[in-house]
Amino acid sequence: MVTATSDQTLAILHLEDSLADHELAARTLRRSGLQCQLHQVDTLSEFQRLTDSGVFDIILADYRLPGFTALDAWTHVAQKPQHPPFVLLSGAIGEAAAVDAMRLGVADYLLKDDIQRLPHVIARALEVHEARRMREHAVAELAASERRLAELAEHLQTSIEQERASIAREIHDDIGGALTAVRFDVSWIGRHSTDPAMQEHANSAADMLQHAIGASQRIMMNLRPPILEQGLVAAVQWLAAGFERRTGVPTRIQSSSDTIDTPADIQLVAYRTAQEALTNISKHANSGKVDIELSDKEGVLTLEVADNGHGIAPEMLNKPKAFGLKGLQERARTVGGWLDISSRPGQGTSVILSIPLPSPSPTAPGDAT
């Protein structure tokens, strides 16, 4: 990008039907020491041809020309993604019209009676244009970075779930099976031993093994709960029942229907959101009750987990290490959803997950029964 202070020569397209006014602009710029090349054009068709085929650093335009105005030229230029700044240089434009033109995107305007300020106006227009270009580039880079981050988060979540499923299978197939076999053997030893001390140790070992089996089953269920195969409503009910049993906090579930049909990835995101919300309630909320609502109305899956506990202070929601809540927000984004957290200290917290559901596939005429 050429600037007004660079050693490179500015390519300026001058839309002007008066040769005298064009020469005056050229002399003014030469007198200022600005390195530039001016190309004059006075028809809209030629202007369009040049801006389509050539590259210019800035465009100067009279407002009224035979058969058209500068706004017609600007409309053509504004459609281009990398158009140069467009400056009105006219003696036949009022301030109101000039302001309206700038609202449309024109960079600046200058009256021909004040043409000695033309170098300054060009320099300012180029600086503003470059700042805008850099800002747009930064915004585009930020958006690309956010997309890459979202893709990475989705990949990590997918990898984590796959690894959880793999670990759950190993616990079930290897550890769970081995513990069950050892428990049977220890129980057999206890039943067939005549030594009271041996029987006592065998029974104690069998109890410990049973505890380990139960722990492995709980870990397996948390890693990849088979209850998900029965649907989202059943899975959330199972979560709520376990939460109420462990904490003693009354937990009410309300669903728009007994079964909510969702794709597997959306179902898993909703399940993990409910799981994390209940975990946070048990750790921090000190609540007296929990309400869970599930709905698939109007093509949107909505999950709300609300408690009447301590609530979350605003600064806690925004602290850098609030990974649990940020993780839920990233999970929601991976399936095109969003997460809202509403909380007031002393009045509880509400976690709301919303995910647009895919439209059902149309039934082919031959498939109807």
Side-chain angles (χ1 to χ4, degrees), residues 14-140:
H14 191 191
L15 182 58
E16 174 61 71
D17 62 331
S18 168
L19 182 59
D21 287 346
H22 171 70
E23 290 296 336
L24 178 61
R27 284 199 305 271
T28 301
L29 294 177
R30 284 197 300 269
R31 196 178 300 122
S32 71
L34 187 67
Q35 299 294 320
C36 61
Q37 287 184 344
L38 267 73
H39 189 104
Q40 182 192 7
V41 62
D42 58 7
T43 66
L44 183 59
S45 59
E46 182 67 5
F47 175 86
Q48 292 172 338
R49 186 187 68 79
L50 287 174
T51 52
D52 287 342
S53 59
V55 177
F56 296 95
D57 298 304
I58 192 166
I59 296 172
L60 305 178
D62 193 6
Y63 186 73
R64 297 190 185 281
L65 297 104
F68 68 101
T69 72
L71 295 184
D72 297 312
W74 165 246
T75 300
H76 179 76
V77 171
Q79 298 172 356
K80 302 180 182 301
Q82 298 295 330
H83 62 77
F86 191 103
V87 175
L88 295 176
L89 177 59
S90 178
I93 183 174
E95 184 174 350
V99 170
D100 288 340
M102 292 182 66
R103 285 174 179 166
L104 294 175
V106 170
D108 207 343
Y109 78 98
L110 179 67
L111 296 178
K112 290 179 180 179
D113 292 343
D114 200 18
I115 199 169
Q116 68 274 7
R117 296 185 59 249
L118 182 59
H120 170 73
V121 170
I122 288 176
R124 183 176 62 187
L126 290 172
E127 289 172 2
V128 171
H129 181 74
E130 178 65 8
R132 182 182 294 114
R133 189 191 66 81
M134 293 181 65
R135 183 173 65 250
E136 290 173 351
H137 177 73
V139 170

Side-chain angles (χ1 to χ4, degrees), residues 195-215:
D195 184 352
M198 178 70 74
Q199 290 177 342
E200 182 179 352
H201 281 293
N203 291 336
S204 177
D207 291 341
M208 290 299 296
L209 285 167
Q210 184 59 47
H211 176 77
I213 292 170

Side-chain angles (χ1 to χ4, degrees), residues 144 146 149 168 195 270 320 336:
E146 289 177 344
L149 180 61
D195 184 352

Side-chain angles (χ1 to χ4, degrees), residues 161 164 168 215-226 228 238-239 246 268 271-272 275 279:
E161 292 298 339
R164 281 175 167 173
S216 68
Q217 290 174 341
R218 286 194 303 273
I219 294 171
M220 182 182 65
M221 292 287 282
N222 285 329
L223 287 171
R224 184 69 178 183
L228 280 173
W238 177 80
L239 269 179
R246 291 191 309 274
L268 187 57
Y271 175 85
R272 292 300 185 196
Q275 186 180 45
T279 298

